[in-house]
């Protein structure tokens, strides 16, 4: 390991004690940069790495709200504005009980490079709360969102920081958040938040973009091998927004998607998952996957079991960070899986990644494969700036173009720095170089 990388990692560990998931994210990126640093000594001279690993701004705040019964509740809110070297901070808001400062910091760090890879002028940031929307009424969620935005509003703006949705934050939550922002500021500033429903200025295809984008990225990988999705047996972890629309796009391209999951277990449908039934359960009725069996009795719900036990050719981890461990990787390898495409943020543990590398299984990293959502979010900002709303086909075509270019960039940088075909290294290096050049040109700010 290059001495400068080692010193930076030591500094990150010392400055962020106990924040293991953030430390993991930093190490995964920095370990890819050895040859870049050897070739560009000015990176060390200007201490780009350590500066990049320190957020520009970290915001934590109390979110008080009332339940339907009149009880008082309180949660913690976060916004990490990590890097504005390339443009306004851009990244989603996550509402989930697992949210901590370390989780938001890791997500914000990842967002820097993901946003850089899109080729768009957007910096990296992330936010959220340990609030759990599950089991809450619309009224409770609205009151929470209004309280959350009451504090967040003073830190965001279309040229400063532009939040979006993530786990637990869909069109309903974005609508409530934007409504409160409008009320507080007396401005109909459409570009301040993305993921809005189309009726209130949102972009078509934004809801589907992360799932679609992951599939488009995987399609590029398959095309380099003379393959496509036709007849491929696929499993997808999760059943939220990313997973649902990855399933939809996979099926439209000829794949047989036989499994998905939720926090209670995994769903196996040997005839192929019924997308419309899943959409009804998860988006409209907001029920658990086990209810799918009432629609299709041919299916099997495996309580407390991961989806990785279902044999497949391709796997899309689309649920959450570190969900796919080494033993899961070994099971996928044993069952003949040849491609892993990360739809969630950092879903594979370092040990799982190592197992895939040893078995020559291709892994499409989240920084690249997961970038479709933020890409279309930025397209939404462009539409809002011009008071326009593009047709779904136009947005989808631009999304496909962006994902194709990201794949090309990953291959280029991997080969350029002696890691031909390694998409992880290609994504890390490609995302880093663009940000590092901007930091150099901006000076010590």
């Amino acid at each position: 390991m290059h001495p400068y990388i080692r010193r930076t990692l030591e500094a990150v560990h010392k400055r962020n004690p106990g924040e293991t998931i953030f430390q993991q994210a930093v190490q995964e990126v920095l370990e890819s940069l050895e040859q870049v640093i050897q070739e560009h000594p000015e990176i060390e001279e200007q201490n780009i790495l350590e500066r990049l690993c320190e957020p520009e701004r970290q915001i934590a705040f109390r979110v008080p709200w009332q339940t339907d019964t009149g009880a008082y509740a309180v949660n913690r809110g976060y916004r990490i504005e990590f890097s504005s070297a390339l443009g306004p901070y851009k990244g989603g808001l996550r509402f989930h009980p697992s949210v901590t400062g370390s989780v938001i910091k890791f997500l914000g760090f990842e967002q820097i490079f993901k946003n850089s890879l899109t080729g768009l002028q957007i910096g990296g940031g992330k936010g959220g709360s340990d609030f759990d929307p599950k089991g809450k009424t619309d009224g409770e969620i609205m009151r929470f969102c209004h309280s959350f935005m009451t504090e967040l509003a003073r830190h965001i703006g279309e040229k400063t920081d532009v939040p979006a949705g993530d786990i637990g934050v869909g069109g309903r939550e974005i609508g409530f958040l934007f409504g409160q922002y409008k009320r507080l500021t007396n401005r109909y500033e459409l570009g301040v938040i993305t993921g809005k429903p189309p009726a209130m200025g949102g972009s078509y295809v934004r809801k589907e973009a992360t799932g679609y984008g992951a599939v488009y990225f995987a399609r590029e990988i398959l095309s380099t091998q003379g393959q496509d999705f036709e007849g491929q047996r696929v499993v997808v972890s999760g059943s939220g927004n990313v997973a649902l629309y990855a399933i939809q796009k996979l099926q439209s391209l000829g794949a047989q998607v036989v499994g998905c999951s939720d926090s209670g277990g995994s769903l196996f449908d040997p005839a192929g998952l019924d997308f419309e039934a899943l959409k009804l359960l998860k988006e409209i009725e907001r029920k658990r996957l086990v209810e799918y069996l009432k629609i299709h009795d041919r299916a099997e719900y495996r309580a407390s079991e991961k989806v990785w036990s279902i044999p497949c050719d391709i796997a899309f981890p689309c649920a959450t960070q570190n969900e796919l461990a080494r033993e899961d990787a070994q099971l996928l390898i044993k069952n003949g899986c040849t491609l892993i495409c990360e739809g969630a943020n950092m879903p594979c543990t370092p040990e799982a990644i190592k197992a895939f590398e040893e078995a020559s299984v291709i892994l499409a990293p989240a920084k690249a494969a997961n970038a479709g959502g933020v890409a279309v979010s930025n397209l939404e900002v462009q539409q809002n700036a011009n008071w326009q709303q593009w047709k779904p086909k136009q947005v989808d075509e631009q999304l496909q173009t962006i994902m194709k270019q990201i794949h090309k960039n990953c291959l280029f940088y991997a080969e350029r720095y002696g890691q031909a075909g390694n998409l992880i290294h290609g994504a890390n290096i490609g995302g880093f170089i663009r940000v590092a050049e901007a930091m150099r040109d901006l000076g010590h700010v």
Side-chain angles (χ1 to χ4, degrees), residues 52-65:
L52 187 59
C53 292
E54 185 64 23
E56 293 178 12
R57 191 172 293 107
Q58 302 183 62
I59 303 155
F61 51 94
R62 181 179 63 188
V63 187
W65 58 283

PDB file of all heavy atoms in Angstrom, residues 52-65:
ATOM      1  N   LEU A  52     -10.541  15.087   0.865  1.00  0.00           N
ATOM      2  CA  LEU A  52     -11.742  14.503   0.279  1.00  0.00           C
ATOM      3  C   LEU A  52     -12.509  13.641   1.279  1.00  0.00           C
ATOM      4  O   LEU A  52     -13.732  13.504   1.191  1.00  0.00           O
ATOM      5  CB  LEU A  52     -11.360  13.672  -0.949  1.00  0.00           C
ATOM      6  CG  LEU A  52     -12.492  13.102  -1.803  1.00  0.00           C
ATOM      7  CD1 LEU A  52     -13.381  14.220  -2.335  1.00  0.00           C
ATOM      8  CD2 LEU A  52     -11.919  12.299  -2.961  1.00  0.00           C
ATOM      9  N   CYS A  53     -11.797  13.064   2.234  1.00  0.00           N
ATOM     10  CA  CYS A  53     -12.423  12.177   3.225  1.00  0.00           C
ATOM     11  C   CYS A  53     -13.082  12.931   4.369  1.00  0.00           C
ATOM     12  O   CYS A  53     -13.700  12.312   5.244  1.00  0.00           O
ATOM     13  CB  CYS A  53     -11.389  11.193   3.778  1.00  0.00           C
ATOM     14  SG  CYS A  53     -10.810   9.987   2.565  1.00  0.00           S
ATOM     15  N   GLU A  54     -12.941  14.239   4.395  1.00  0.00           N
ATOM     16  CA  GLU A  54     -13.553  15.052   5.446  1.00  0.00           C
ATOM     17  C   GLU A  54     -14.735  15.818   4.853  1.00  0.00           C
ATOM     18  O   GLU A  54     -14.567  16.603   3.922  1.00  0.00           O
ATOM     19  CB  GLU A  54     -12.530  16.041   6.023  1.00  0.00           C
ATOM     20  CG  GLU A  54     -13.029  16.838   7.203  1.00  0.00           C
ATOM     21  CD  GLU A  54     -13.355  15.991   8.415  1.00  0.00           C
ATOM     22  OE1 GLU A  54     -12.813  14.864   8.530  1.00  0.00           O
ATOM     23  OE2 GLU A  54     -14.150  16.441   9.268  1.00  0.00           O
ATOM     24  N   PRO A  55     -15.948  15.591   5.351  1.00  0.00           N
ATOM     25  CA  PRO A  55     -17.106  16.309   4.817  1.00  0.00           C
ATOM     26  C   PRO A  55     -16.957  17.822   4.943  1.00  0.00           C
ATOM     27  O   PRO A  55     -16.372  18.320   5.913  1.00  0.00           O
ATOM     28  CB  PRO A  55     -18.267  15.811   5.674  1.00  0.00           C
ATOM     29  CG  PRO A  55     -17.794  14.538   6.278  1.00  0.00           C
ATOM     30  CD  PRO A  55     -16.318  14.681   6.437  1.00  0.00           C
ATOM     31  N   GLU A  56     -17.471  18.545   3.961  1.00  0.00           N
ATOM     32  CA  GLU A  56     -17.442  19.996   4.039  1.00  0.00           C
ATOM     33  C   GLU A  56     -18.351  20.494   5.163  1.00  0.00           C
ATOM     34  O   GLU A  56     -18.081  21.517   5.791  1.00  0.00           O
ATOM     35  CB  GLU A  56     -17.872  20.598   2.698  1.00  0.00           C
ATOM     36  CG  GLU A  56     -16.868  20.311   1.577  1.00  0.00           C
ATOM     37  CD  GLU A  56     -17.313  20.853   0.231  1.00  0.00           C
ATOM     38  OE1 GLU A  56     -18.275  21.647   0.172  1.00  0.00           O
ATOM     39  OE2 GLU A  56     -16.693  20.477  -0.789  1.00  0.00           O
ATOM     40  N   ARG A  57     -19.434  19.752   5.397  1.00  0.00           N
ATOM     41  CA  ARG A  57     -20.378  20.172   6.440  1.00  0.00           C
ATOM     42  C   ARG A  57     -21.161  18.961   6.941  1.00  0.00           C
ATOM     43  O   ARG A  57     -21.608  18.139   6.133  1.00  0.00           O
ATOM     44  CB  ARG A  57     -21.350  21.224   5.872  1.00  0.00           C
ATOM     45  CG  ARG A  57     -22.201  21.930   6.904  1.00  0.00           C
ATOM     46  CD  ARG A  57     -22.980  23.083   6.264  1.00  0.00           C
ATOM     47  NE  ARG A  57     -22.082  24.139   5.816  1.00  0.00           N
ATOM     48  CZ  ARG A  57     -21.802  24.381   4.524  1.00  0.00           C
ATOM     49  NH1 ARG A  57     -22.371  23.676   3.585  1.00  0.00           N
ATOM     50  NH2 ARG A  57     -20.965  25.345   4.201  1.00  0.00           N
ATOM     51  N   GLN A  58     -21.316  18.851   8.254  1.00  0.00           N
ATOM     52  CA  GLN A  58     -22.102  17.776   8.845  1.00  0.00           C
ATOM     53  C   GLN A  58     -23.186  18.380   9.729  1.00  0.00           C
ATOM     54  O   GLN A  58     -22.885  19.104  10.662  1.00  0.00           O
ATOM     55  CB  GLN A  58     -21.215  16.844   9.677  1.00  0.00           C
ATOM     56  CG  GLN A  58     -20.079  16.207   8.886  1.00  0.00           C
ATOM     57  CD  GLN A  58     -19.266  15.247   9.732  1.00  0.00           C
ATOM     58  OE1 GLN A  58     -19.791  14.240  10.216  1.00  0.00           O
ATOM     59  NE2 GLN A  58     -17.991  15.543   9.935  1.00  0.00           N
ATOM     60  N   ILE A  59     -24.437  18.055   9.421  1.00  0.00           N
ATOM     61  CA  ILE A  59     -25.569  18.647  10.125  1.00  0.00           C
ATOM     62  C   ILE A  59     -26.357  17.536  10.805  1.00  0.00           C
ATOM     63  O   ILE A  59     -26.742  16.556  10.163  1.00  0.00           O
ATOM     64  CB  ILE A  59     -26.478  19.406   9.142  1.00  0.00           C
ATOM     65  CG1 ILE A  59     -25.676  20.483   8.384  1.00  0.00           C
ATOM     66  CG2 ILE A  59     -27.668  20.030   9.861  1.00  0.00           C
ATOM     67  CD1 ILE A  59     -26.266  20.861   7.055  1.00  0.00           C
ATOM     68  N   ALA A  60     -26.600  17.678  12.098  1.00  0.00           N
ATOM     69  CA  ALA A  60     -27.454  16.738  12.838  1.00  0.00           C
ATOM     70  C   ALA A  60     -28.461  17.571  13.625  1.00  0.00           C
ATOM     71  O   ALA A  60     -28.124  18.624  14.182  1.00  0.00           O
ATOM     72  CB  ALA A  60     -26.629  15.877  13.784  1.00  0.00           C
ATOM     73  N   PHE A  61     -29.708  17.109  13.666  1.00  0.00           N
ATOM     74  CA  PHE A  61     -30.737  17.911  14.314  1.00  0.00           C
ATOM     75  C   PHE A  61     -31.866  17.036  14.858  1.00  0.00           C
ATOM     76  O   PHE A  61     -32.048  15.901  14.443  1.00  0.00           O
ATOM     77  CB  PHE A  61     -31.304  18.955  13.341  1.00  0.00           C
ATOM     78  CG  PHE A  61     -31.748  18.411  12.000  1.00  0.00           C
ATOM     79  CD1 PHE A  61     -33.070  18.038  11.782  1.00  0.00           C
ATOM     80  CD2 PHE A  61     -30.840  18.294  10.956  1.00  0.00           C
ATOM     81  CE1 PHE A  61     -33.483  17.546  10.547  1.00  0.00           C
ATOM     82  CE2 PHE A  61     -31.242  17.807   9.709  1.00  0.00           C
ATOM     83  CZ  PHE A  61     -32.565  17.426   9.506  1.00  0.00           C
ATOM     84  N   ARG A  62     -32.593  17.600  15.794  1.00  0.00           N
ATOM     85  CA  ARG A  62     -33.730  16.926  16.419  1.00  0.00           C
ATOM     86  C   ARG A  62     -34.966  17.092  15.537  1.00  0.00           C
ATOM     87  O   ARG A  62     -35.214  18.162  14.993  1.00  0.00           O
ATOM     88  CB  ARG A  62     -33.985  17.546  17.800  1.00  0.00           C
ATOM     89  CG  ARG A  62     -35.127  16.916  18.583  1.00  0.00           C
ATOM     90  CD  ARG A  62     -35.283  17.560  19.935  1.00  0.00           C
ATOM     91  NE  ARG A  62     -35.634  18.964  19.832  1.00  0.00           N
ATOM     92  CZ  ARG A  62     -35.689  19.801  20.869  1.00  0.00           C
ATOM     93  NH1 ARG A  62     -35.386  19.356  22.081  1.00  0.00           N
ATOM     94  NH2 ARG A  62     -36.026  21.064  20.710  1.00  0.00           N
ATOM     95  N   VAL A  63     -35.764  16.007  15.446  1.00  0.00           N
ATOM     96  CA  VAL A  63     -37.009  16.069  14.668  1.00  0.00           C
ATOM     97  C   VAL A  63     -38.164  15.659  15.587  1.00  0.00           C
ATOM     98  O   VAL A  63     -38.473  14.474  15.729  1.00  0.00           O
ATOM     99  CB  VAL A  63     -36.957  15.148  13.436  1.00  0.00           C
ATOM    100  CG1 VAL A  63     -38.195  15.378  12.562  1.00  0.00           C
ATOM    101  CG2 VAL A  63     -35.688  15.365  12.629  1.00  0.00           C
ATOM    102  N   PRO A  64     -38.825  16.627  16.220  1.00  0.00           N
ATOM    103  CA  PRO A  64     -39.984  16.297  17.075  1.00  0.00           C
ATOM    104  C   PRO A  64     -41.265  16.248  16.241  1.00  0.00           C
ATOM    105  O   PRO A  64     -41.450  17.032  15.309  1.00  0.00           O
ATOM    106  CB  PRO A  64     -40.014  17.467  18.049  1.00  0.00           C
ATOM    107  CG  PRO A  64     -39.437  18.614  17.276  1.00  0.00           C
ATOM    108  CD  PRO A  64     -38.459  18.034  16.290  1.00  0.00           C
ATOM    109  N   TRP A  65     -42.156  15.311  16.581  1.00  0.00           N
ATOM    110  CA  TRP A  65     -43.420  15.199  15.851  1.00  0.00           C
ATOM    111  C   TRP A  65     -44.448  14.502  16.732  1.00  0.00           C
ATOM    112  O   TRP A  65     -44.099  13.926  17.764  1.00  0.00           O
ATOM    113  CB  TRP A  65     -43.228  14.447  14.531  1.00  0.00           C
ATOM    114  CG  TRP A  65     -42.659  13.053  14.683  1.00  0.00           C
ATOM    115  CD1 TRP A  65     -41.358  12.720  14.918  1.00  0.00           C
ATOM    116  CD2 TRP A  65     -43.392  11.822  14.636  1.00  0.00           C
ATOM    117  NE1 TRP A  65     -41.216  11.352  15.014  1.00  0.00           N
ATOM    118  CE2 TRP A  65     -42.444  10.774  14.841  1.00  0.00           C
ATOM    119  CE3 TRP A  65     -44.731  11.489  14.430  1.00  0.00           C
ATOM    120  CZ2 TRP A  65     -42.819   9.431  14.853  1.00  0.00           C
ATOM    121  CZ3 TRP A  65     -45.105  10.156  14.431  1.00  0.00           C
ATOM    122  CH2 TRP A  65     -44.155   9.141  14.646  1.00  0.00           C
TER     123      TRP A  65
END
